[in-house]
Structures are given as structure tokens and as C-alpha cells.
Amino acid sequence: MDNSDMLMERLRNNGAPFAANDNIAKYLDSVDRERIQWEVQLACQALLKALVIDTENDHNTRETAKRMAKMYVREVFKGRYEAMPELKDFPNAKQLDEIYVIGPITVRSACSHHLVPIMGKLWVGIIPSERVIGISKFARLANWIFRRPQIQEESTVQIAELLTKHINPKGLAVICEAQHMCMTWRGVEESETTMTTSYMGGVFRDDPAARSEFLRLIK
């Protein structure tokens, strides 16, 4: 049984989802991650062979499978294999109830359909309740969510759900604008097109004036 088969069996036995944009760090140890990287390297080498690339004699691709495996496991998809960054929260001591906006936050991901890059910007609007988090945590959380094979609509909701769970703000708005290489590098090859997704919760959903103020602030 391959390492991936054993890990999938472990995840199923624990009732843990392992779709492309799920995080499975809770069920892994450092040895598991090393084994995942090694198995990815073997698979990447098989891909290069299937593409009829002479990795033995081509100095440009001799170490490509190893580089690809490290990139996927340790860098571009690390949001699947690493635990969520700590989101230490603090009391809203001054009982602030005005809008504050964080962004643009640069986000980098890959489309689940073709595993080619998604590059974009993210804005978060908050009307705080009883608890707040430091502004750097928004960027860390976005990085953790997006560094997986993603669908932009789902990543936007994932960020909103995590923020709601941890600080339960009175109002939460998330907007992501990104360019998808599955449209620019392949397919229709439309180089100027971007996609914008949004989530509006609490006051931003119920109060058009608050929503308009947030949209004005991010412009």
C-alpha cells in the first residue's frame, strides 16, 4: 500500500475530509510530510517521463521532479499540510464599532481544475464586536487558506467562516479580485480578465449604507 493510500485510509477512519482545499495537518506528522513529498516527486518524475522528456540527459530538467515536489508540498500547497496560524484575539477594550479595512492583501493560489496559478488581492472589512485580532493575522490567514488548490468562490467563504468563528464581528466583508491562469495561459487566453468574489455578513449584509461605505473605502 502506498503512503498516500495509507493516509487516505487514516483520514477516512477519522471522518476527515481531504478535498483539494481542505487542511489535513491535524492528521499528519513530520514523517508523513516527508513521505508525501517523496511520493509527489516520484509522481512528478512519472509525469515528465509521460511527456517524453529526457531528464537523464537534459540538464534543465534533471532535478525538476524534486523541485516540483518541494514546491507543491512546502510552498504553494502548504496550506493543506501545515496547521492554522495562531489567531490570538484581544478584548475590544474601547468598544470600537466603526468599520476598519485591511487590504489589499496579495493572495496566491492555484485553480483546482488545472493546478495553474491564481494571483490576486483580498480586502477584509470588519465592524468589531467583543474581540479583535491583530491586522497581520488577516494576511497570515489568507495565505494559509489560499495556498491550496482552490476555487476562488470557496476560498472567499472559507476566510469569512474562520473569521466569524474566531471573532464573531458585528459586520464582516470579504472581497477577492484575482486573475486565473487557466483563462490567461490556456483555454480562451483572455489576458485582461479578472474574477471578483465577495462575502457580506452581519451589518454589511443587512445595512446598505455600511456596505456602500466599505466598498468606497476599498476603492
Side-chain angles (χ1 to χ4, degrees):
M1 182 181 290
D2 292 337
N3 180 61
S4 57
D5 292 325
M6 291 188 292
L7 288 176
M8 287 180 181
E9 183 177 0
R10 184 190 306 170
L11 292 163
R12 290 189 184 102
N13 289 340
N14 282 277
F18 51 97
N21 62 1
D22 284 320
N23 177 273
I24 59 173
K26 178 180 177 181
Y27 306 96
L28 305 177
D29 59 30
S30 58
V31 174
D32 290 325
R33 282 185 279 272
E34 291 290 343
R35 289 173 175 168
I36 290 170
Q37 186 170 328
W38 172 246
E39 197 163 326
V40 172
Q41 181 175 333
L42 296 178
C44 289
Q45 186 62 45
L47 171 64
L48 294 169
K49 181 181 179 181
L51 292 169
V52 198
I53 295 174
D54 182 5
T55 58
E56 292 183 9
N57 298 298
D58 176 11
H59 64 281
N60 290 319
T61 57
R62 194 169 294 140
E63 296 287 322
T64 293
K66 182 178 180 180
R67 289 189 291 265
M68 290 173 68
K70 181 180 179 182
M71 175 189 71
Y72 283 127
V73 178
R74 304 292 180 176
E75 298 173 348
V76 296
F77 295 155
K78 67 180 182 178
R80 299 196 77 234
Y81 309 113
E82 295 184 359
M84 187 179 76
E86 183 182 6
L87 291 183
K88 187 175 181 179
D89 57 280
F90 307 92
N92 181 8
K94 299 295 185 180
Q95 296 298 306
L96 301 173
D97 61 357
E98 297 294 329
I99 298 171
Y100 66 91
V101 176
I102 300 92
I105 299 167
T106 300
V107 290
R108 303 169 180 86
S109 190
C111 170
S112 296
H113 297 154
H114 297 94
L115 297 189
V116 295
I118 299 171
M119 301 288 291
K121 302 289 185 182
L122 182 84
W123 293 263
V124 179
I126 297 283
I127 300 176
S129 183
E130 299 301 317
R131 310 293 294 181
V132 295
I133 58 174
I135 61 173
S136 67
K137 303 304 183 187
F138 293 94
R140 294 182 188 279
L141 178 61
N143 183 61
W144 184 68
I145 290 289
F146 272 84
R147 284 189 180 266
R148 311 169 190 182
Q150 274 289 9
I151 299 299
Q152 185 178 330
E153 304 95 302
E154 294 180 4
S155 60
T156 303
V157 173
Q158 283 181 314
I159 291 172
E161 289 178 342
L162 270 178
L163 289 171
T164 299
K165 177 181 177 181
H166 282 271
I167 57 175
N168 193 29
K170 293 178 182 177
L172 173 63
V174 181
I175 286 186
C176 180
E177 180 181 2
Q179 190 172 59
H180 294 239
M181 297 302 171
C182 59
M183 284 191 64
T184 63
W185 190 34
R186 59 159 300 280
V188 295
E189 297 182 356
E190 181 56 61
S191 61
E192 300 298 324
T193 301
T194 61
M195 179 180 184
T196 302
T197 49
S198 68
Y199 172 96
M200 299 289 166
V203 176
F204 290 115
R205 181 189 61 239
D206 300 330
D207 184 351
R211 185 164 59 250
S212 295
E213 183 178 353
F214 167 70
L215 295 173
R216 179 180 58 78
L217 289 170
I218 70 171
K219 296 298 183 182

